[in-house]
Every structure is written in structure tokens, then in C-alpha cells.
Amino acid sequence: MNTKNTLSSDFYTLDIVGMTCASCVGRIEKTVQKITGVEAISVNLATEQARIRLQHGSPVTIEDIIKAIDKTGYEAHPSTALGKISQENAKLSWGMDGLTSVLVSFALAIPLVIPMVLMPFGIHWSLNPWWQLALATPIQFILGWRFYVAGFKSLLAGVGNMDLLIAIGTSSAYGLSVYQIFSQSHYEHDLYFEGSAVIISMVLLGKWLEARAKKQTSEAIRALQKLWPENAKVLDASIKNDALNLTEYRVLPLDQVLPTDRIIVLPGERIPVDGIILSGQSHVDESLLTGESEPIKKHVNDQVIGGAMNGEGALIIQVQAIGVESVLAKIISLVEDAQTKKAPIQKLVDQVSAVFVPSVIVIAILTGLANWLYFDSIPLAILRAVSVLVIACPCALGLATPAAIMAGTGVAARFGILIKDPQVLEFAHRINVVAFDKTGTLTIGRPRLIEVIPLSNESHNMQDILAAASGLQLGSEHPLAKALLNYTVEKNLIPITAIENKALTGIGIEGKPTSGPWANELLCLQSVASLKDSPLFKDIESQIASASLKGHTISILGTTSNNFSPIAAFMFGDEIKANAKQSVEALHKLSIRTAMISGDNLSSANRVGKIIGIDEVFAQVMPGDKAEIIKSLKSSTVSKNRQWVAMIGDGINDAPALAVADVGMAMSTGTDVAIQSAGITLMRGDLSLVPSAIDISKRTWNKIRQNLFWAFAFNTAGIPLAALGYLSPMVAGSAMALSSFFVLSNALLLKRWRIKHFN
């Protein structure tokens, strides 16, 4: 594979094989960071991946980086474009095949341990020393050879790791025992083969358990990957839409399907692509993609998502997106990116790990010297030094944060909450203010034109007003534009085509009708908020006051050829989402204050806010001012402390506010710009996802803190106990191996989390 040709981006993801602890992470990052042209690198122990960004125009190639990583003792390979986590295994060097090594190791070690088990019962029996040597040697130098190889490579790189500690510790116990055999005549009770054998066996067991737990943290990704069918039933391009036949198709591999194709999806099959239904109707299960619990009824012209399960009806679909452009691929990419990124708190862990192993070796040496001088016993000194080396392996420390992030983001994705950036987790648990956009967020986003109120002193035909206003909106995808056009069609009117149409960001749209009373005059259809600096604003407000009290969204049509002259006001009604009130109440139960930011007039916004139970309403806000509102909420005088603000939105005009907020949450029903600006994407327009997203973020953050506490506490308590002789090498080895498993198991408790539904 020519990586240089296939990976042309300045950003790369590599799979790393052979990492065992946080020190490994630090070593790879330190090595790669020294390469001229590398701008940044982040290595994740739990996913065993490195994300590398090169400086623009850098001459360094990805092959250069792979070679540098290989020299440090690890294997590096470019990740695949989609599905970086293998579906067959957890892609870990201590994978499922390691079970054989574990079983063989314990089978050889058990006879060495039996005498120690019998000793408390007054039975003093031990194997012949030569039998002990025969059993311990294959464990030490065959099953444990990996520790020597990795430890030696770490020495060559000038950095220590867990393997080095294990290699030094077990070799000391094994070497002391061999020395005792050849130097003493009565050595039966001065041999420590069982110590080195059990340490290696327990480490192998711990790593195998760790690999199994790591694999479980990746289940969310693998479940999404499995949604892709391998093939698609593609109709012949020559067949016309009115002559479609469910039996006339070719089965093609998915990578050969093109956006111009039409495909057939039979009942019970997974939909292989994103597209639009041309023929047929069925219920489609999108639960693994959006978290929607019930199958959704789909008809002609409805959108379908690749990976969803088709129900009872056969569908013919026009392909729109495949592969990396599909919704499923983007979901997988978002979750993978979140799982491979580091939370800010991980930087502290990395700094500690960088000096941890060298410090432990120094402590072990000092322990050995102190015990030798005080007790005048070389064997005792070596054993206590070995205990220090073994118990201090920083595996749990390296896994504490990424394991919790993988588990938390994975379970959130299952329920339609995509956490894109681990930094969100650090902020989300602090959130005490949630600000909502109104249209499309708190409301359904499918407004209807309710009423048209004339504002001009001149008498104008209502049909002319509607035809001119709808003509400005031709081709627009804005919800209010669609509502106006639909109303015009219902009234059997033909919109008047306008020229020189121009969208006014955050204001509305303007253009010149080609006919009618305002032919070649510049008309503008705009929000009420955009007129608040106009001298006519108060007069307009008084004319629309009764409509404002009903909570309608209002747009004003007027001529702008000279000064603005109002013609009519358009009242749009938008239904409030069914669970909006319950979701706001759920936030209040979490002691979170709520706010609504709307471009609607004050009366309309206040009415919606009162119905839902919003604490604070900001009305007549221009889109460019939404970000300023978020900034003001952060420094609110309601509390002396700094406020942590989440913004919930769906439109282009929400993007700046989403970016400014501590946590931005975008509805996936909204625009791509809004989704890209947010740290969390809610895969359906269900407001109950908002408190649920905050809840899973808090729980994930708590798991990170718990894991780090126990990882630090384990080493803080374990090292002194080992140095003072309270932990034998065997107990130290068992405790070290189980500590990593404990951290991973604690993180996996997040998999029991379920979303809360509100009625």
C-alpha cells in the first residue's frame, strides 16, 4: 500500500499496536513531536490510535512518522477511511488470542503456588528446586518474552514503560532464585520462582481482561459499522420511473453504487444508502442511528438514511449519498473523533506518566538499598524492590480517562446524542444555564401562514400582496418561505417572479417584482426585530399588537426604494413541541436556569416562553446579537459565580452563539453549519435529549474523576506498602493487573445508562 498516495491530507490517523500504559503514550507523542514538520499529535491508549497533524506544506511523510514510531518499539499502520475499529477484534496486541497464553501460564504457575497455599495449614512441602526451575523458565522467557522485547525497546528510546518494570522485577526474583539454587545447599524455602511466575501470569490475565473490556467500550462503533449492507440492488438506468419492476435489478457491491442510481430495498433489508423514496411506503427503524424508539412511517419523497432497517414494504430509492458522504459514515466519524481525542484533564495524566516510570525505578532502587542496609538481607531487599516495581505499573492511570470517554460517548450515540469533543464533558457537568433558540428548536419548525394584516394607508389587493411576497421567496428553503408559498398555492395564486433577489443575513429577503403594483420597486420581507431602529417601528408594533399576543412569528413586507414603507404583516403560527414544557421542567429539577433567544417581537416571544416555563426571554434579537446574549449570560448578575451556558439551536443564524457557548447543542434536523459549530449533536428534534445529554455528560465526567482518583490512590498507597514489605511480589502483581480491570469495569457501568423520556 502506497500510503503517501492514498493519504494526501495533512491530517492522519494511525493504528498503534503494542501500547500497554500511559508511559507508552507519552513516549510515542514525545518521539513524533520531535519530527520537523509535525504540528501536533494526540495518542489514545484505549483506542490505540494516534491523530497527527502536519504543518501545511511539510515535507515529512506519513511513512517517516511510521518509521519513527516503529523505532520506539511499536507498530504503526494507517487507519482505514471508515470504521477505524476492527469488527473482528479489539485491534489490541493483548487480544482474545492471549487467552491461550494466560491458561498455559497459570497451568505452569499453580504447582509453584501450591506449597504457599498449604503452609498455613501446617503442611510444609515444596517441589524439587529443579522442577521449580523447569516450570518457571518457560513462563519467564517464553510467555514473558514480550516484556523483555518491549522493555528493551523502551530503553533504546530513552523512556521507561510498564514492560520495563515487569521485566526488571520478575528477572530480579527469577535471578535471585537461580542464584540460590547454585550457591546454597539448603535453599528450599529461599526460592522465589512462584513470585516471578505469578506476576507474569497475573499481568497476562489482567491484560486479557483489559482487552475484553476495551472491546466492550468500542461496541457502539462496531454496532454502527455492522449496519452497512455489503451490496445494493441497483435498477438498470434505462428503466423509466413509470415502468419500475421489483425483479429487474443487479446486485452490486456498495462501493460501486453511484449517486445517480436507483435501488430496491425489500422488506426486512437494511437500506444501504441515503436517498429519497421514489416508490413504495414502509415503516423504517432508525433507532441505532437516531435513538428513535419507534419505526417511522415513510412515504414517497421522504428521506431515508443508510443503515436503517426497512419494515413491511418494498421501497425504490433514489441514491443521494454513499460512503463517507452518508449520514451513517458521518455519525461513525463523529463518535470515533470524540473517542480518540483527549479530555483536557488527560494532559495532567500525561505529564505525570512522563516521569512516573523513571521515578518508580529510583524508588525501587532506594527501597532495595534501605532494606539491605537495615535488615542485612539481599533477598529481602530484592523482593521488596520487586514489589515496588510491579505494583507501580501505570496502566490504570493511562486508561482512566479514555475508557470513560469511550463508554460514555458510545452509549450516548446509541440514543441519538453525538458528543463530538471530550472537552464538552468537562464543561457539561457545570452547566447551570441553558439557552434555546425558538423556531425549529422549541417549536416544530413547520410554520403556517395564519393571517395577513395590511399596514399601508393605500388600499392594496390582498392577492397582489400575497403574489408579490411569495415571489420573493421562490426557491428558498426557509420554513417561513415554505409556509408562505404553500398558502399561496392553497389560494390558487401564482407568485410574481422577482429579479435581483438578495438574501439579507439575519434580516430577510429583498427583490424587484417583474409585474403587479410594485413592478421594479425594491420590496423587502423582513423580521420585526430588523425594524426596531426604524421611526415607524412603534406604529407597526401597535398595528400588530393583537397578533403578537397570540405568540405568532411576524414578518413585515415593505418597499425600500426610498425610505421603508410598510405594506403588510404576515402572521405565522408554529406549533410548540409536545415535550418542550416537560424538558424545561427536567432542566429546572437539575437546578438549571433556562432562557430563550428569539428574533420575534417581545409579546410573541413572552407568550411562548410563558407556556413552556422559560425563566428569561430575549426577544427581537438580531442573529448577529445572539452570541452577545450568550456572553452576557455567562457573566450574569443572577449569581456572583461565573455561569456555564449551553446553547440549543438549529439554524445558520445560531452558529455563532453555538460556538460561543460553553456547550453548543445542535439539532440534526437543522443546518450543517449549526451542527459543525456545536460540541453535541442531537440526532432528532426531541427536546428530552437536552437534559439527557447533560445527564450522560455529567455521569461520564464523574466516571473520569472516579477512575483517576482510584488510579492515583492505588499507586499512592501501593508503593509505600510494597516498600515496607506489606505486599509480596505476587500480591503486587495481582493488584496491579486487577487495577486496570477495575478502572475499565467502572467505566463500562455507563453502558447501563438509559435516556429519560418525558410525556
Side-chain angles (χ1 to χ4, degrees), residues 16 72 134 202 251 275 321-322 388 454 504 521 554 571 596 612 662 724 743:
I16 310 295
T72 63
M202 290 304 300
V251 178
I322 54 175
V388 170
L504 306 175
E521 285 191 55
I554 303 174
M571 311 297 164
M596 184 179 77
I612 297 174
D662 296 303
L724 295 171
V743 164

Side-chain angles (χ1 to χ4, degrees), residues 50-79:
R51 294 160 55 86
I52 301 161
R53 187 172 67 245
L54 304 182
Q55 296 172 356
H56 184 67
S58 169
V60 69
T61 66
I62 196 64
E63 286 89 351
D64 297 330
I65 295 173
I66 290 174
K67 289 178 182 177
I69 293 174
D70 288 344
K71 288 181 180 179
T72 63
Y74 307 96
E75 294 179 30
H77 309 282
S79 284

Side-chain angles (χ1 to χ4, degrees), residues 171-242:
S171 296
S172 300
Y174 178 89
L176 176 61
S177 301
V178 172
Y179 171 78
Q180 297 284 59
I181 288 178
F182 289 99
S183 65
Q184 297 183 25
S185 57
H186 301 286
Y187 40 66
E188 285 83 354
H189 302 299
D190 294 324
L191 302 182
Y192 308 100
F193 288 119
E194 77 283 348
S196 61
V198 171
I199 288 170
I200 291 175
S201 299
M202 290 304 300
V203 172
L204 292 177
L205 174 62
K207 286 300 172 185
W208 181 72
L209 293 172
E210 183 180 301
R212 285 175 58 89
K214 279 182 180 179
K215 186 175 180 181
Q216 290 183 55
T217 62
S218 307
E219 279 183 355
I221 293 292
R222 289 195 302 278
L224 289 172
Q225 290 169 338
K226 290 176 182 177
L227 297 182
W228 261 310
E230 294 182 359
N231 304 305
K233 298 179 176 69
V234 181
L235 285 166
D236 191 289
S238 63
I239 301 176
K240 296 182 179 180
N241 285 341
D242 57 1

Side-chain angles (χ1 to χ4, degrees), residues 377-660:
S377 171
I378 292 178
L380 181 63
I382 291 176
L383 287 177
R384 291 189 176 180
V386 168
S387 296
V388 170
L389 289 171
V390 172
I391 198 157
C393 295
C395 305
L397 200 59
L399 290 168
T401 299
I405 289 174
M406 289 182 70
T409 55
V411 73
R414 283 179 53 202
F415 292 98
I417 301 169
L418 300 187
I419 300 173
K420 295 160 52 180
D421 188 346
Q423 181 170 309
V424 167
L425 301 173
E426 196 156 335
F427 293 153
H429 76 284
R430 304 175 180 174
I431 293 298
N432 48 23
V433 179
V434 171
F436 294 91
D437 171 52
K438 174 178 167 283
T439 304
T441 302
L442 290 172
T443 62
I444 291 176
R446 292 194 294 271
R448 296 176 297 107
L449 181 59
I450 304 296
E451 183 182 4
V452 181
I453 301 176
L455 299 177
S456 174
N457 294 326
E458 301 178 21
S459 177
H460 293 295
N461 186 297
M462 189 60 66
Q463 294 181 341
D464 291 336
I465 293 175
L466 285 169
S470 59
L472 297 177
Q473 301 283 25
L474 286 173
S476 174
E477 292 297 315
H478 193 283
L480 296 183
K482 290 182 178 180
L484 178 54
L485 289 168
N486 289 338
Y487 186 85
T488 304
V489 171
E490 290 173 7
K491 296 296 182 181
N492 296 317
L493 298 175
I494 299 175
I496 298 173
T497 303
I499 59 174
E500 299 180 21
N501 278 27
K502 181 181 179 182
L504 306 175
T505 304
I507 297 175
I509 190 168
E510 66 179 14
K512 295 180 179 179
T514 54
S515 61
W518 299 281
N520 296 317
E521 285 191 55
L522 191 62
L523 292 185
C524 184
L525 186 63
Q526 60 196 98
S527 66
V528 176
S530 64
L531 292 169
K532 57 185 177 184
D533 294 329
S534 169
L536 299 174
F537 180 67
K538 289 186 177 180
D539 184 49
I540 292 173
E541 266 201 323
S542 65
Q543 294 185 67
I544 62 174
S546 60
S548 298
L549 293 175
K550 298 177 182 178
H552 296 327
T553 298
I554 303 174
S555 293
I556 306 296
L557 177 69
T559 61
T560 57
S561 298
N562 296 311
N563 293 322
F564 181 80
S565 177
I567 297 173
F570 294 80
M571 311 297 164
F572 297 93
D574 193 3
E575 185 180 348
I576 296 173
K577 288 183 177 177
N579 59 0
K581 182 177 178 64
Q582 290 84 353
S583 299
V584 168
E585 289 174 351
L587 291 172
H588 288 159
K589 289 178 182 178
L590 295 173
S591 301
I592 295 175
R593 194 162 55 93
T594 55
M596 184 179 77
I597 304 175
S598 174
D600 286 349
N601 62 80
L602 184 60
S603 299
S604 175
N606 278 336
R607 182 178 181 275
V608 172
K610 185 176 181 180
I611 292 173
I612 297 174
I614 297 291
D615 297 315
E616 189 171 6
V617 173
F618 297 89
Q620 297 174 184
V621 178
M622 294 293 288
D625 297 332
K626 287 187 177 182
E628 293 302 318
I629 297 291
I630 297 298
K631 291 179 181 178
S632 70
L633 287 172
K634 287 183 179 181
S635 56
S636 173
T637 56
V638 173
S639 171
K640 294 181 180 179
N641 299 322
R642 195 268 213 210
Q643 302 294 290
W644 294 86
V645 181
M647 171 68 189
I648 322 297
D650 71 327
I652 292 175
N653 55 11
D654 297 323
L658 289 168
V660 168

Side-chain angles (χ1 to χ4, degrees), residues 200-423:
I200 291 175
S201 299
M202 290 304 300
V203 172
L204 292 177
L205 174 62
K207 286 300 172 185
W208 181 72
L209 293 172
E210 183 180 301
R212 285 175 58 89
K214 279 182 180 179
K215 186 175 180 181
Q216 290 183 55
T217 62
S218 307
E219 279 183 355
I221 293 292
R222 289 195 302 278
L224 289 172
Q225 290 169 338
K226 290 176 182 177
L227 297 182
W228 261 310
E230 294 182 359
N231 304 305
K233 298 179 176 69
V234 181
L235 285 166
D236 191 289
S238 63
I239 301 176
K240 296 182 179 180
N241 285 341
D242 57 1
L244 295 175
N245 189 322
L246 294 181
T247 63
E248 297 179 1
Y249 60 81
R250 292 179 297 158
V251 178
L252 295 179
L254 203 55
D255 58 1
Q256 294 182 20
V257 178
L258 301 175
T260 55
D261 288 333
R262 294 165 300 170
I263 67 168
I264 295 174
V265 183
L266 299 177
E269 293 183 338
R270 287 207 176 274
I271 299 171
V273 299
D274 293 0
I276 295 178
I277 298 176
L278 296 177
S279 175
Q281 61 181 12
S282 181
H283 283 85
V284 175
D285 183 0
E286 300 177 345
S287 57
L288 273 175
L289 294 163
T290 66
E292 183 65 57
S293 58
E294 298 294 331
I296 303 170
K297 184 71 172 179
K298 297 285 186 177
H299 304 85
V300 173
N301 294 327
D302 283 346
Q303 297 272 350
V304 290
I305 302 173
M309 177 67 76
N310 184 28
E312 72 285 357
L315 300 175
I316 296 177
I317 298 169
Q318 175 73 54
V319 179
Q320 287 187 314
I322 54 175
V324 294
E325 296 300 321
S326 66
V327 171
L328 176 57
K330 291 176 181 177
I331 291 173
I332 291 175
S333 179
L334 285 172
V335 178
E336 284 180 332
D337 286 345
Q339 292 187 343
T340 53
K341 289 178 182 177
K342 291 184 179 180
I345 196 172
Q346 183 67 24
K347 295 177 182 178
L348 171 63
V349 177
D350 292 344
Q351 291 171 357
V352 172
S353 299
V355 297
F356 193 83
V357 173
S359 301
V360 168
I361 293 175
V362 171
I363 293 172
I365 293 172
L366 294 175
T367 298
L369 290 173
N371 280 276
W372 177 35
L373 293 173
Y374 188 78
F375 294 105
D376 193 23
S377 171
I378 292 178
L380 181 63
I382 291 176
L383 287 177
R384 291 189 176 180
V386 168
S387 296
V388 170
L389 289 171
V390 172
I391 198 157
C393 295
C395 305
L397 200 59
L399 290 168
T401 299
I405 289 174
M406 289 182 70
T409 55
V411 73
R414 283 179 53 202
F415 292 98
I417 301 169
L418 300 187
I419 300 173
K420 295 160 52 180
D421 188 346
Q423 181 170 309

